[in-house]
Amino acid sequence: MVKAIELENVDLSLGRGAARVHILKGVSLAVDRGEAVGLVGPSGSGKSTLLMVMAGLERPDAGAVRIEGQELGPLDEDALARFRGRRVGIVFQSFHLLPTMTALENVAVPLELAGQADAFARARAELDQVGLGHRLSHYPAELSGGEQQRVALARALAPDPAILVADEPTGNLDEDTGASIVDLLFRMKTERGATLVLVTHDPGLARRCDRTVALRSGVIDQARSDELTRGRA
Ligand code: ADP
Ligand code: MG
């Protein structure tokens, strides 16, 4: 069976000179199709960086990354960007919407750039799905945090990606708004049959995943991962 995500001995350092940091140290991880993995660990342990590697936004210095059986290493920048656009949806803590574009444009323009013919119709349908059909022409500054994250989720899901990665998607939201985003995230994941990797500090949220992976100083702590996975409600 092809795995959704396979990392083999991934090593990555970032930064220059004295600021160079060895962030990921021989990380190996396989995620099944349709699985939801909660990625936890102390601040600075490398969670966001690991997510960027899975999304093809950072290339490891050593080791292999395969997404849906496709080895990312040999792809040139254009091919990697195309692959990412089609196969990977990304949601960030701070939404990352373009402030000069409306909600509709934020979802439609990336689709259009990816060559999707019916980009605006599709974007409208996606925004409808996340409950924002009535906010299409609002700019991000005119939307609440929860609404902005819904737009970001619609944008991530619009290409129908095989894998969805989310980096503390509720980190900037109040508890109730965060909970509704999480419900939406899991509902969309299940409806689309996507694979989810979710970075979170929230133990309750991690427990909603099929499995927990614990990172510590750039290494997977297997004992802690097993303990947290067993401890799920
Ligand atoms: P986490 O998401 O678990 O908090 P990160 O993956 O963001 O951790 O970062 C891991 C470590 O790598 C941190 O110490 C951070 O300061 C460092 N780091 C992250 N990105 C860079 C970069 N571009 N250059 C140098 N150091 C970085
Ligand atoms: Mg982080």
Side-chain angles (χ1 to χ4, degrees):
M1 245 279 267
V2 174
K3 297 280 181 186
I5 302 168
E6 263 185 303
L7 306 180
E8 266 173 32
N9 281 315
V10 164
D11 242 77
L12 177 62
S13 298
L14 289 175
R16 289 169 189 282
R20 195 157 175 83
V21 180
H22 191 182
I23 304 177
L24 300 175
K25 303 162 188 162
V27 173
S28 296
L29 176 67
V31 180
D32 287 331
R33 283 181 167 164
E35 199 176 14
V37 171
L39 184 57
V40 303
S43 181
S45 56
K47 304 180 297 295
S48 294
T49 307
L50 186 57
L51 221 55
M52 292 303 102
V53 168
M54 289 178 184
L57 283 166
E58 289 285 357
R59 287 180 190 269
D61 299 322
V65 181
R66 277 186 295 278
I67 303 295
E68 292 281 314
Q70 167 71 56
E71 180 107 37
L72 300 190
L75 300 181
D76 66 26
E77 290 308 316
D78 284 350
L80 187 59
R82 276 198 304 277
F83 182 81
R84 224 169 29 224
R86 279 200 323 271
R87 309 301 278 160
V88 185
I90 310 174
V91 180
F92 299 95
Q93 176 174 351
S94 49
F95 323 131
H96 287 207
L97 299 176
L98 290 171
T100 57
M101 287 190 190
T102 64
L104 182 62
E105 289 163 348
N106 263 285
V107 180
V109 169
L111 283 177
E112 207 166 45
L113 290 174
Q116 181 94 30
D118 53 350
F120 278 79
R122 180 120 182 210
R124 225 172 263 123
E126 292 290 347
L127 283 160
D128 227 30
Q129 284 273 303
V130 300
L132 278 188
H134 60 311
R135 290 285 185 269
L136 300 180
S137 48
H138 280 55
Y139 288 90
E142 301 167 342
L143 297 169
S144 71
E147 287 172 337
Q148 290 183 58
Q149 195 59 303
R150 283 169 193 266
V151 175
L153 189 55
R155 178 182 59 187
L157 289 164
D160 222 3
I163 78 163
L164 187 57
V165 300
D167 195 350
E168 303 189 39
T170 63
N172 283 354
L173 304 174
D174 64 64
E175 200 172 319
D176 287 350
T177 307
S180 76
I181 288 290
V182 167
D183 286 343
L184 184 61
L185 183 66
F186 276 90
R187 180 161 67 76
M188 300 303 264
K189 176 221 168 280
T190 304
E191 277 175 15
R192 312 281 177 115
T195 304
L196 173 67
V197 180
L198 173 67
V199 171
T200 181
H201 283 296
D202 176 355
L205 184 44
R207 273 198 296 275
R208 290 186 64 165
C209 297
D210 299 309
R211 166 160 73 104
T212 303
V213 170
L215 210 57
R216 180 176 301 278
S217 303
V219 177
I220 291 180
D221 183 337
Q222 197 56 53
R224 180 86 183 123
S225 302
D226 292 344
E227 182 188 346
L228 288 168
T229 297
R230 273 198 310 272
R232 286 178 314 123

